[in-house]
Amino acid sequence: IWKPVYLVGATQLLVLDTVATVTSDPSDPQKPLTETTANWRVKVVTRVNLTAASSVKYNVAGNWSGSSAVSQMLKLPAGVSTINATLYATGVQLWWPHGMGAQKLYYINVTAQVGRTTAVQIGRNIGFRSINIHARLATNTTPQLHQYRGNGVPFFAKGANWVPPDSLHAKVTDDALCSYIESAQNANYNFLRVWGGGDFPANAFFDCADT
């Protein structure tokens, strides 16, 4: 055991996790996106665990201008259930790769409640951006192409492989992960490839890379 071990007490409801996926609508990776023309879809997937079958009041809201909350009253069975909701956004500031613009972040708040019990809350930071690979194989008339695009704008990927910073993973603190990200930014990197022979970094790695 090398990651934290802890006990979580829950009387009726436990929110296990929430994942938010952002996509442009319509999605055309070869057209540059702008704050005035881009429309966005935010799919929010939440997993909850109930000790007994219950009615759950579920609410999702974003903090961008014009965001309308999604509220649902759901009858869910005992055990783990998945709840889906979709938010929409227009006129938001874009998140850009390092060196191409600012890294604007927004916030999604998710709440779930059973009866009159205290609502359980969880939040996620998101950025409105599209990252695509524009690629083709070589033919007799066209050369091979492998091009990265951020918000529809081509950019040159400058970076390195990310490998576990220490053979004893528990020794790597969140502050250490952020210092490595800062060093990569100072070296004008805009790309880190998580090496397939390693493991997924802690959440702090991705949180620091967002900014």
Side-chain angles (χ1 to χ4, degrees), residues 2-209:
W2 58 274
K3 288 187 176 181
V5 177
Y6 52 88
L7 295 175
V8 177
T11 55
Q12 291 179 285
L13 171 70
L14 178 66
V15 176
L16 299 176
D17 55 51
T18 290
V19 176
T21 304
V22 180
T23 56
S24 59
D25 184 23
S27 179
D28 186 347
Q30 298 189 54
K31 285 187 177 181
L33 299 175
T34 67
E35 296 177 4
T36 56
T37 62
N39 298 311
W40 300 92
R41 222 178 20 247
V42 184
K43 183 178 180 181
V44 182
V45 179
T46 303
R47 291 194 311 138
V48 300
N49 184 73
L50 292 169
T51 57
S54 305
S55 294
V56 176
K57 184 179 180 180
Y58 178 79
N59 185 83
V60 182
N63 72 337
W64 54 89
S65 177
S67 173
S68 58
V70 173
S71 296
Q72 305 178 59
M73 183 62 74
L74 305 167
K75 291 184 178 180
L76 300 178
V80 178
S81 296
T82 300
I83 306 174
N84 295 282
T86 302
L87 300 175
Y88 298 92
T90 58
V92 292
Q93 297 182 48
L94 302 182
W95 185 99
W96 290 94
H98 180 58
M100 297 179 66
Q103 288 75 47
K104 174 64 178 178
L105 294 177
Y106 291 88
Y107 188 77
I108 289 177
N109 186 67
V110 176
T111 60
Q113 185 175 2
V114 174
R116 297 183 178 180
T117 61
T118 302
V120 180
Q121 296 191 21
I122 188 171
R124 289 289 182 268
N125 288 323
I126 63 169
F128 290 96
R129 85 292 176 269
S130 69
I131 303 294
N132 305 94
I133 299 176
H134 182 44
R136 67 167 178 255
L137 296 175
T139 67
N140 291 333
T141 57
T142 58
Q144 182 173 328
L145 178 66
H146 189 94
Q147 184 182 72
Y148 293 95
R149 293 175 180 264
N151 297 326
V153 179
F155 70 94
F156 185 77
K158 306 183 291 285
N161 278 345
W162 172 267
V163 299
D166 197 294
S167 57
L168 299 177
H169 294 189
K171 292 176 61 177
V172 183
T173 64
D174 290 352
D175 288 341
L177 288 173
C178 287
S179 70
Y180 293 134
I181 294 292
E182 185 178 353
S183 295
Q185 292 172 336
N186 291 338
N188 290 319
Y189 286 5
N190 60 12
F191 215 97
L192 285 175
R193 172 183 175 267
V194 178
W195 177 58
D199 67 343
F200 288 110
N203 288 340
F205 173 89
F206 300 99
D207 291 338
C208 293

